[in-house]
Amino acid sequence: MEVKFNKNAIIFSGVDTLSVPLTLDCGQAFRWSEKSDGIWHGVAYSKAVDIVRNGDELIINGCFDEGDEKLWVEYFDLERDYGNICKNLKSDCHLKTAIEAFPGIRILKQEPWEALCSFIVSQNNNIPRIKGIIERLCVSFGNDLGDGDFSFPCAEKLAVLTVEDLAPLRSGFRAKYIIDAAQKVASGEVDLKKLHTCDIDEARQELIKIKGVGAKVAECTLLYGCGRVDAFPVDVWVRRIMSELYPEGLPECTNGVEGIAQQYLFHWRRNV
DNA sequence: AACCAGGCGCATA
DNA sequence: TATGCGCATGGT
C-alpha cells in the first residue's frame, strides 16, 4: 500500500478487500451517506470528507492536517490483511458463501466515545432512526465544521447536559443513558483509553458500568470503537445465525477475528 | 423469573 | 390511513 497527496486529497493505492459502500453502510457506522454516485460523504475524527474508490485506490477528499493519513489507515483498518483473513474464514462453508456474496466489508475503527454513544442510541432501534438521532446530536452539540457538517460532540460537552436538553434529539428513553455515559467517561470513572489493550473481559466490565450498556452494546463498542476484532456482538440476527448454522459454536477459523466473521454473517443473513 | 415500558420507522392490512 | 411489529436494556 502506498500513500500519495494531491491538493486536498489523500490517495491510498494497492488497497484490497475494501468495498466502500458495504463497509460504510452495513450498520457499523451511522454518519455516512452516498451523496452522489460512488461518492460517500461523512464525518469521522472531526474531519468532513468525501470518499471514493477508484480501482485499487482509496481516495479521501477533504481538508487535512499534517499526519492525517494515519487516521484513515486506522479508520479503514488498512494495515490488517483482510485478504488473508477472508481466505482463512472461507474454510467454513457458510462464511465462504457470506464473504463471496458481500466481499470487501472491513471493520471500521471509529472513535471509542462515538462508537459507545452510537450503540447506546442503537439499542431497540432501527437504522434510519439511529442516523436521525445521531445527526441531531451532532448538529445540536458538535462543533460546526462548515458546509453543514458537525463533529461528534465529546463526552465533556454532553456530561453537563440534562435529559431535557436532549429532548430535541427524540432519542426516547435512551437520553438518560447518553447522559450517564457522558458523565462516567468525562469523569474518568470509565476509562475508554485502556479498552484497546486491556484484557477483553476487563474491558467488558468497564463498559457495563454505564447505565444502558449491556453485553451487546459493550461488544459493539469494543469491535467498532476499539479495534477489538475478537469482540463478538450477538443481536437477534446473529442469534438466529448461531442457532441455525452453528449450534455447536463458531468454527475454529474465526478464532481471534470473531468480529470480522460476525460482520459478514450478519450482513449476509439480513440481505440474502 | 417472566414481562413490559419507551419511541418511531417500517411492513402489512 | 390505520395497525402491529421489532428492538437492548433496565426495572418491575
Short mmCIF file of all heavy atoms in Angstrom, two decimals, chain A residues 81-121:
data_model
loop_
_atom_site.label_atom_id
_atom_site.label_comp_id
_atom_site.label_asym_id
_atom_site.label_seq_id
_atom_site.Cartn_x
_atom_site.Cartn_y
_atom_site.Cartn_z
N ASP A 81 -4.48 -7.53 7.18
CA ASP A 81 -4.53 -8.29 5.92
C ASP A 81 -5.87 -9.01 5.78
O ASP A 81 -5.99 -10.19 6.09
CB ASP A 81 -3.36 -9.29 5.89
CG ASP A 81 -3.25 -9.99 4.53
OD1 ASP A 81 -4.17 -9.84 3.70
OD2 ASP A 81 -2.25 -10.68 4.32
N TYR A 82 -6.87 -8.24 5.34
CA TYR A 82 -8.22 -8.82 5.22
C TYR A 82 -8.28 -9.90 4.15
O TYR A 82 -9.07 -10.84 4.25
CB TYR A 82 -9.26 -7.73 4.91
CG TYR A 82 -9.79 -7.04 6.16
CD1 TYR A 82 -8.99 -6.15 6.87
CD2 TYR A 82 -11.08 -7.29 6.63
CE1 TYR A 82 -9.46 -5.52 8.01
CE2 TYR A 82 -11.55 -6.67 7.77
CZ TYR A 82 -10.75 -5.79 8.45
OH TYR A 82 -11.22 -5.18 9.59
N GLY A 83 -7.44 -9.76 3.11
CA GLY A 83 -7.41 -10.79 2.06
C GLY A 83 -7.11 -12.14 2.66
O GLY A 83 -7.80 -13.14 2.40
N ASN A 84 -6.09 -12.18 3.49
CA ASN A 84 -5.69 -13.43 4.13
C ASN A 84 -6.71 -13.90 5.17
O ASN A 84 -7.04 -15.09 5.25
CB ASN A 84 -4.31 -13.24 4.78
CG ASN A 84 -3.70 -14.56 5.17
OD1 ASN A 84 -3.47 -14.83 6.34
ND2 ASN A 84 -3.50 -15.42 4.19
N ILE A 85 -7.24 -12.95 5.94
CA ILE A 85 -8.25 -13.30 6.95
C ILE A 85 -9.48 -13.91 6.28
O ILE A 85 -9.98 -14.96 6.70
CB ILE A 85 -8.64 -12.05 7.78
CG1 ILE A 85 -7.48 -11.64 8.69
CG2 ILE A 85 -9.92 -12.30 8.59
CD1 ILE A 85 -7.63 -10.27 9.31
N CYS A 86 -9.93 -13.28 5.19
CA CYS A 86 -11.11 -13.80 4.49
C CYS A 86 -10.83 -15.16 3.88
O CYS A 86 -11.69 -16.04 3.87
CB CYS A 86 -11.58 -12.80 3.43
SG CYS A 86 -12.33 -11.33 4.15
N LYS A 87 -9.61 -15.33 3.36
CA LYS A 87 -9.24 -16.63 2.80
C LYS A 87 -9.36 -17.72 3.87
O LYS A 87 -9.92 -18.79 3.62
CB LYS A 87 -7.80 -16.56 2.27
CG LYS A 87 -7.42 -17.70 1.35
CD LYS A 87 -5.99 -17.51 0.85
CE LYS A 87 -5.18 -18.77 1.13
NZ LYS A 87 -3.74 -18.51 1.27
N ASN A 88 -8.87 -17.43 5.06
CA ASN A 88 -8.98 -18.40 6.16
C ASN A 88 -10.43 -18.64 6.57
O ASN A 88 -10.84 -19.78 6.81
CB ASN A 88 -8.18 -17.92 7.38
CG ASN A 88 -6.68 -18.01 7.14
OD1 ASN A 88 -6.23 -18.81 6.32
ND2 ASN A 88 -5.94 -17.17 7.82
N LEU A 89 -11.19 -17.55 6.65
CA LEU A 89 -12.59 -17.69 7.08
C LEU A 89 -13.38 -18.55 6.09
O LEU A 89 -14.31 -19.25 6.47
CB LEU A 89 -13.26 -16.32 7.23
CG LEU A 89 -12.79 -15.46 8.41
CD1 LEU A 89 -13.45 -14.07 8.35
CD2 LEU A 89 -13.10 -16.13 9.75
N LYS A 90 -12.98 -18.48 4.82
CA LYS A 90 -13.71 -19.21 3.79
C LYS A 90 -13.52 -20.72 3.87
O LYS A 90 -14.16 -21.47 3.12
CB LYS A 90 -13.34 -18.68 2.40
CG LYS A 90 -14.07 -17.38 2.08
CD LYS A 90 -13.37 -16.53 1.03
CE LYS A 90 -13.63 -16.99 -0.37
NZ LYS A 90 -13.05 -16.02 -1.34
N SER A 91 -12.71 -21.18 4.80
CA SER A 91 -12.63 -22.63 5.02
C SER A 91 -13.92 -23.15 5.64
O SER A 91 -14.19 -24.35 5.62
CB SER A 91 -11.43 -22.98 5.90
OG SER A 91 -11.59 -22.46 7.19
N ASP A 92 -14.73 -22.23 6.18
CA ASP A 92 -16.06 -22.61 6.65
C ASP A 92 -17.07 -22.32 5.54
O ASP A 92 -17.04 -21.24 4.94
CB ASP A 92 -16.41 -21.79 7.91
CG ASP A 92 -17.85 -22.01 8.35
OD1 ASP A 92 -18.11 -23.03 9.00
OD2 ASP A 92 -18.71 -21.17 8.00
N CYS A 93 -17.94 -23.27 5.24
CA CYS A 93 -18.77 -23.13 4.04
C CYS A 93 -19.76 -21.97 4.13
O CYS A 93 -20.02 -21.30 3.14
CB CYS A 93 -19.47 -24.45 3.72
SG CYS A 93 -20.69 -24.95 4.95
N HIS A 94 -20.30 -21.71 5.30
CA HIS A 94 -21.26 -20.60 5.42
C HIS A 94 -20.55 -19.25 5.29
O HIS A 94 -21.05 -18.33 4.64
CB HIS A 94 -21.99 -20.66 6.77
CG HIS A 94 -22.65 -21.97 7.02
ND1 HIS A 94 -23.58 -22.51 6.16
CD2 HIS A 94 -22.50 -22.87 8.02
CE1 HIS A 94 -23.98 -23.68 6.62
NE2 HIS A 94 -23.33 -23.93 7.75
N LEU A 95 -19.39 -19.15 5.91
CA LEU A 95 -18.61 -17.92 5.77
C LEU A 95 -18.16 -17.71 4.33
O LEU A 95 -18.14 -16.58 3.84
CB LEU A 95 -17.40 -17.95 6.72
CG LEU A 95 -17.75 -17.49 8.15
CD1 LEU A 95 -16.76 -18.02 9.16
CD2 LEU A 95 -17.84 -15.98 8.21
N LYS A 96 -17.83 -18.81 3.66
CA LYS A 96 -17.45 -18.72 2.25
C LYS A 96 -18.60 -18.09 1.45
O LYS A 96 -18.40 -17.16 0.67
CB LYS A 96 -17.14 -20.12 1.72
CG LYS A 96 -16.68 -20.16 0.27
CD LYS A 96 -16.22 -21.58 -0.09
CE LYS A 96 -15.45 -21.64 -1.41
NZ LYS A 96 -16.27 -21.38 -2.58
N THR A 97 -19.80 -18.59 1.66
CA THR A 97 -20.97 -18.04 0.96
C THR A 97 -21.16 -16.57 1.29
O THR A 97 -21.40 -15.74 0.39
CB THR A 97 -22.23 -18.82 1.38
OG1 THR A 97 -22.00 -20.21 1.18
CG2 THR A 97 -23.43 -18.39 0.58
N ALA A 98 -21.07 -16.24 2.58
CA ALA A 98 -21.32 -14.86 3.02
C ALA A 98 -20.28 -13.90 2.44
O ALA A 98 -20.62 -12.83 1.94
CB ALA A 98 -21.30 -14.79 4.55
N ILE A 99 -19.02 -14.30 2.47
CA ILE A 99 -17.93 -13.43 2.01
C ILE A 99 -17.99 -13.26 0.50
O ILE A 99 -17.76 -12.17 -0.02
CB ILE A 99 -16.56 -13.99 2.46
CG1 ILE A 99 -16.42 -13.86 3.98
CG2 ILE A 99 -15.41 -13.28 1.75
CD1 ILE A 99 -15.25 -14.63 4.58
N GLU A 100 -18.36 -14.34 -0.21
CA GLU A 100 -18.43 -14.23 -1.66
C GLU A 100 -19.66 -13.43 -2.11
O GLU A 100 -19.65 -12.80 -3.17
CB GLU A 100 -18.39 -15.62 -2.30
CG GLU A 100 -16.96 -16.18 -2.21
CD GLU A 100 -16.81 -17.60 -2.72
OE1 GLU A 100 -17.83 -18.22 -3.10
OE2 GLU A 100 -15.65 -18.10 -2.75
N ALA A 101 -20.69 -13.43 -1.29
CA ALA A 101 -21.89 -12.65 -1.63
C ALA A 101 -21.65 -11.16 -1.39
O ALA A 101 -22.16 -10.32 -2.14
CB ALA A 101 -23.08 -13.13 -0.81
N PHE A 102 -20.91 -10.82 -0.36
CA PHE A 102 -20.68 -9.42 0.00
C PHE A 102 -19.21 -9.17 0.32
O PHE A 102 -18.85 -8.90 1.47
CB PHE A 102 -21.56 -9.02 1.19
CG PHE A 102 -23.04 -9.18 0.93
CD1 PHE A 102 -23.74 -10.27 1.40
CD2 PHE A 102 -23.71 -8.22 0.17
CE1 PHE A 102 -25.10 -10.42 1.13
CE2 PHE A 102 -25.06 -8.36 -0.10
CZ PHE A 102 -25.76 -9.46 0.39
N PRO A 103 -18.35 -9.24 -0.70
CA PRO A 103 -16.91 -9.11 -0.42
C PRO A 103 -16.51 -7.68 -0.10
O PRO A 103 -17.14 -6.74 -0.60
CB PRO A 103 -16.26 -9.57 -1.73
CG PRO A 103 -17.29 -9.30 -2.78
CD PRO A 103 -18.63 -9.46 -2.12
N GLY A 104 -15.48 -7.54 0.71
CA GLY A 104 -14.90 -6.22 0.93
C GLY A 104 -15.41 -5.46 2.14
O GLY A 104 -15.14 -4.27 2.28
N ILE A 105 -16.13 -6.15 3.02
CA ILE A 105 -16.52 -5.49 4.26
C ILE A 105 -15.32 -5.46 5.20
O ILE A 105 -14.66 -6.47 5.41
CB ILE A 105 -17.69 -6.23 4.95
CG1 ILE A 105 -18.91 -6.28 4.04
CG2 ILE A 105 -18.03 -5.56 6.28
CD1 ILE A 105 -20.08 -7.07 4.62
N ARG A 106 -15.02 -4.28 5.73
CA ARG A 106 -13.99 -4.14 6.76
C ARG A 106 -14.62 -3.60 8.03
O ARG A 106 -15.66 -2.95 7.99
CB ARG A 106 -12.89 -3.16 6.31
CG ARG A 106 -11.89 -3.78 5.38
CD ARG A 106 -10.91 -2.76 4.84
NE ARG A 106 -9.94 -3.45 3.98
CZ ARG A 106 -8.67 -3.67 4.31
NH1 ARG A 106 -8.19 -3.23 5.46
NH2 ARG A 106 -7.88 -4.32 3.49
N ILE A 107 -13.96 -3.87 9.14
CA ILE A 107 -14.41 -3.32 10.42
C ILE A 107 -13.78 -1.94 10.59
O ILE A 107 -12.55 -1.81 10.53
CB ILE A 107 -14.00 -4.23 11.60
CG1 ILE A 107 -14.60 -5.63 11.45
CG2 ILE A 107 -14.38 -3.58 12.92
CD1 ILE A 107 -16.10 -5.70 11.56
N LEU A 108 -14.60 -0.92 10.75
CA LEU A 108 -14.09 0.43 10.95
C LEU A 108 -13.58 0.62 12.37
O LEU A 108 -14.16 0.06 13.31
CB LEU A 108 -15.20 1.45 10.68
CG LEU A 108 -15.74 1.51 9.25
CD1 LEU A 108 -16.99 2.38 9.21
CD2 LEU A 108 -14.68 2.06 8.32
N LYS A 109 -12.52 1.39 12.48
CA LYS A 109 -12.04 1.77 13.82
C LYS A 109 -12.50 3.20 14.09
O LYS A 109 -11.84 4.16 13.73
CB LYS A 109 -10.52 1.64 13.88
CG LYS A 109 -9.84 2.32 15.05
CD LYS A 109 -10.22 1.72 16.39
CE LYS A 109 -9.50 2.45 17.52
NZ LYS A 109 -10.04 3.81 17.75
N GLN A 110 -13.69 3.30 14.69
CA GLN A 110 -14.23 4.62 14.99
C GLN A 110 -13.67 5.12 16.31
O GLN A 110 -13.01 4.39 17.05
CB GLN A 110 -15.76 4.53 15.05
CG GLN A 110 -16.37 3.96 13.77
CD GLN A 110 -17.86 3.74 13.86
OE1 GLN A 110 -18.63 4.65 14.11
NE2 GLN A 110 -18.29 2.50 13.67
N GLU A 111 -13.95 6.39 16.61
CA GLU A 111 -13.55 6.90 17.92
C GLU A 111 -14.35 6.17 18.99
O GLU A 111 -15.57 5.97 18.84
CB GLU A 111 -13.79 8.40 18.00
CG GLU A 111 -12.85 9.19 17.12
CD GLU A 111 -13.10 10.69 17.24
OE1 GLU A 111 -14.02 11.19 16.57
OE2 GLU A 111 -12.38 11.34 17.99
N PRO A 112 -13.69 5.78 20.08
CA PRO A 112 -14.37 4.99 21.10
C PRO A 112 -15.63 5.66 21.66
O PRO A 112 -16.67 5.00 21.81
CB PRO A 112 -13.32 4.83 22.20
CG PRO A 112 -12.02 5.06 21.53
CD PRO A 112 -12.27 5.97 20.38
N TRP A 113 -15.53 6.94 21.95
CA TRP A 113 -16.71 7.62 22.51
C TRP A 113 -17.86 7.66 21.51
O TRP A 113 -19.03 7.42 21.86
CB TRP A 113 -16.35 9.04 22.99
CG TRP A 113 -17.54 9.88 23.21
CD1 TRP A 113 -17.94 10.97 22.50
CD2 TRP A 113 -18.56 9.68 24.22
NE1 TRP A 113 -19.12 11.46 22.97
CE2 TRP A 113 -19.52 10.68 24.04
CE3 TRP A 113 -18.74 8.75 25.23
CZ2 TRP A 113 -20.66 10.78 24.84
CZ3 TRP A 113 -19.88 8.84 26.03
CH2 TRP A 113 -20.81 9.85 25.84
N GLU A 114 -17.54 7.93 20.24
CA GLU A 114 -18.59 7.95 19.22
C GLU A 114 -19.25 6.57 19.09
O GLU A 114 -20.47 6.46 18.98
CB GLU A 114 -18.04 8.40 17.87
CG GLU A 114 -19.10 8.33 16.76
CD GLU A 114 -18.67 8.93 15.43
OE1 GLU A 114 -17.69 9.71 15.40
OE2 GLU A 114 -19.32 8.63 14.43
N ALA A 115 -18.43 5.53 19.10
CA ALA A 115 -18.98 4.18 18.98
C ALA A 115 -19.85 3.84 20.19
O ALA A 115 -20.97 3.34 20.04
CB ALA A 115 -17.85 3.15 18.84
N LEU A 116 -19.36 4.15 21.37
CA LEU A 116 -20.13 3.88 22.58
C LEU A 116 -21.49 4.58 22.54
O LEU A 116 -22.53 3.96 22.73
CB LEU A 116 -19.33 4.35 23.81
CG LEU A 116 -20.05 4.37 25.14
CD1 LEU A 116 -20.55 2.98 25.53
CD2 LEU A 116 -19.14 4.94 26.24
N CYS A 117 -21.44 5.87 22.27
CA CYS A 117 -22.65 6.67 22.25
C CYS A 117 -23.60 6.20 21.13
O CYS A 117 -24.81 6.08 21.34
CB CYS A 117 -22.22 8.13 22.04
SG CYS A 117 -23.39 9.32 22.58
N SER A 118 -23.05 5.91 19.97
CA SER A 118 -23.86 5.46 18.84
C SER A 118 -24.58 4.15 19.14
O SER A 118 -25.74 3.97 18.79
CB SER A 118 -23.00 5.27 17.60
OG SER A 118 -22.42 6.49 17.20
N PHE A 119 -23.87 3.23 19.80
CA PHE A 119 -24.50 1.93 20.04
C PHE A 119 -25.43 1.96 21.25
O PHE A 119 -26.33 1.12 21.35
CB PHE A 119 -23.46 0.82 20.06
CG PHE A 119 -23.04 0.47 18.65
CD1 PHE A 119 -21.95 1.09 18.06
CD2 PHE A 119 -23.81 -0.38 17.88
CE1 PHE A 119 -21.61 0.84 16.73
CE2 PHE A 119 -23.49 -0.65 16.55
CZ PHE A 119 -22.38 -0.03 15.98
N ILE A 120 -25.28 2.94 22.12
CA ILE A 120 -26.31 3.18 23.14
C ILE A 120 -27.60 3.62 22.43
O ILE A 120 -28.68 3.13 22.71
CB ILE A 120 -25.85 4.25 24.16
CG1 ILE A 120 -24.80 3.65 25.09
CG2 ILE A 120 -27.03 4.80 24.96
CD1 ILE A 120 -24.14 4.66 26.01
N VAL A 121 -27.43 4.53 21.47
CA VAL A 121 -28.59 5.01 20.70
C VAL A 121 -29.20 3.88 19.87
O VAL A 121 -30.41 3.84 19.64
CB VAL A 121 -28.17 6.19 19.79
CG1 VAL A 121 -29.25 6.54 18.79
CG2 VAL A 121 -27.81 7.41 20.63
#
